[in-house]
Amino acid sequence: MALMDIGFFSESLGMAVHCMALLPHAREGETLPKRQTLYLLHGYGDSYTSWIRKTNLERYAAHHNLAVIMPDAQKSAYTDMTHGGKFFTYIADELPGKMRAFLPLSERREDTFIAGFSMGGYGAFKIGLARPMQYSAIGCISAGVSNDTPDTVALRELRTGGRPLKDTEEDVPASIARAAALGKDAPRIYHTIGQEDFLLSGARETRDLLHSYPGDPFHYIYEEKPGKHGWEFCDGALRDFLQWLSPAPR
């Protein structure tokens, strides 16, 4: 695996940014196709380096021949902020094209996935369901479609500034309804959380909402396992998500 810290200018954010990338490399005499790609989103208070520093991601990704892109989103909740950067637009719309220009990544929806931990799990729901024809699978670890805590509530005014949210990318239940209408073309969803996680009630509300759609359009998997909100749980959940996503190395 090649590990890269990629710096470039983001037109959406109007500033220079960085992201981490893991890329499977070909062995001597071998030719790899364009890589399957996971966009992996960090949590509140973390950064684009956190997955590399705090999990066994590189080993897991190597096993599955999977490229992984890890952008930075600060504390934005992956939102086009009223008082801040347009992080939704940057990650949902700008970043995939930039990365495919820089790296040999597949353009095919069936080879493109999005997942995250905590705030990043919420972001994966938000982006994956608002852009359901870009991603064939979504992974949410230790989160739900609403992650309300005192810190996040305090930041809401900076993020949305009281603007109407109905039927925008911020209206995740509406995005779920639109994606469910795609039927068999809706992205698959894997959702897991620890039984002692402080966001457990929100995860269960999300579970009930997704289970309410007849016919299981998302092929939805929900798992509660022993554990708290932290990297120890996240590391195991990441391994399980990648096994669910791609059972056999490609």
Side-chain angles (χ1 to χ4, degrees):
M1 298 289 281
L3 174 63
M4 293 163 276
D5 186 326
I6 304 175
F8 58 96
F9 186 83
S10 165
E11 286 80 11
S12 301
L13 296 173
M15 65 181 187
V17 295
H18 283 259
C19 72
M20 299 294 293
L22 279 170
L23 189 71
H25 58 80
R27 299 177 181 89
E28 185 175 354
E30 178 185 25
T31 301
L32 288 179
K34 288 188 176 180
R35 280 56 162 182
Q36 290 185 309
T37 310
L38 170 65
Y39 291 86
L40 193 55
L41 310 183
H42 68 75
Y44 184 88
D46 290 311
S47 78
Y48 73 107
T49 68
S50 295
W51 288 102
I52 293 296
R53 295 170 59 206
K54 298 181 180 180
T55 74
N56 291 298
L57 171 64
E58 182 171 359
R59 183 160 56 85
Y60 302 152
H63 177 71
H64 294 287
N65 273 336
L66 183 68
V68 185
I69 305 299
M70 295 156 275
D72 196 79
Q74 301 175 17
K75 294 182 178 180
S76 67
Y78 302 90
T79 297
D80 280 356
M81 300 174 71
T82 300
H83 305 288
K86 294 183 177 181
F87 285 94
F88 177 89
T89 297
Y90 163 55
I91 293 170
D93 300 329
E94 181 183 1
L95 184 67
K98 281 281 202 307
M99 292 298 103
R100 288 168 182 155
F102 297 154
L103 302 170
L105 307 180
S106 175
E107 298 88 359
R108 302 192 307 168
R109 175 184 184 257
E110 58 264 37
D111 289 336
T112 308
F113 323 109
I114 190 166
F117 167 59
S118 192
M119 183 184 79
Y122 165 73
F125 268 136
K126 180 192 291 188
I127 294 171
L129 292 164
R131 299 288 186 270
M133 299 313 295
Q134 290 181 196
Y135 307 96
S136 61
I138 298 167
C140 176
I141 300 171
S142 301
V145 298
S146 175
N147 286 355
D148 283 345
T149 67
D151 284 347
T152 60
V153 170
L155 283 171
R156 188 173 295 150
E157 183 66 21
L158 287 175
R159 291 172 177 161
T160 61
R163 62 184 169 91
L165 302 180
K166 184 175 175 56
D167 292 327
T168 71
E169 71 280 356
E170 296 299 309
D171 189 349
V172 182
S175 293
I176 292 173
R178 286 190 292 270
L182 296 171
K184 63 181 180 61
D185 292 324
R188 297 184 296 146
I189 296 177
Y190 179 93
H191 186 190
T192 186
I193 193 166
Q195 293 165 338
E196 299 173 73
D197 196 302
F198 66 90
L199 294 176
L200 182 59
S201 62
R204 288 175 173 174
E205 289 173 6
T206 302
R207 172 202 62 191
D208 294 344
L209 175 60
L210 288 166
H211 276 159
S212 72
Y213 284 91
D216 190 18
F218 302 106
H219 301 280
Y220 178 59
I221 299 294
Y222 177 81
E223 295 180 340
E224 291 181 12
K225 297 180 179 180
K228 299 180 180 181
H229 194 94
W231 287 103
E232 183 176 359
F233 179 86
C234 181
D235 184 75
L238 175 64
R239 180 197 59 228
D240 294 344
F241 166 68
L242 293 180
Q243 186 65 30
W244 168 84
L245 185 68
S246 178
R250 178 176 166 179

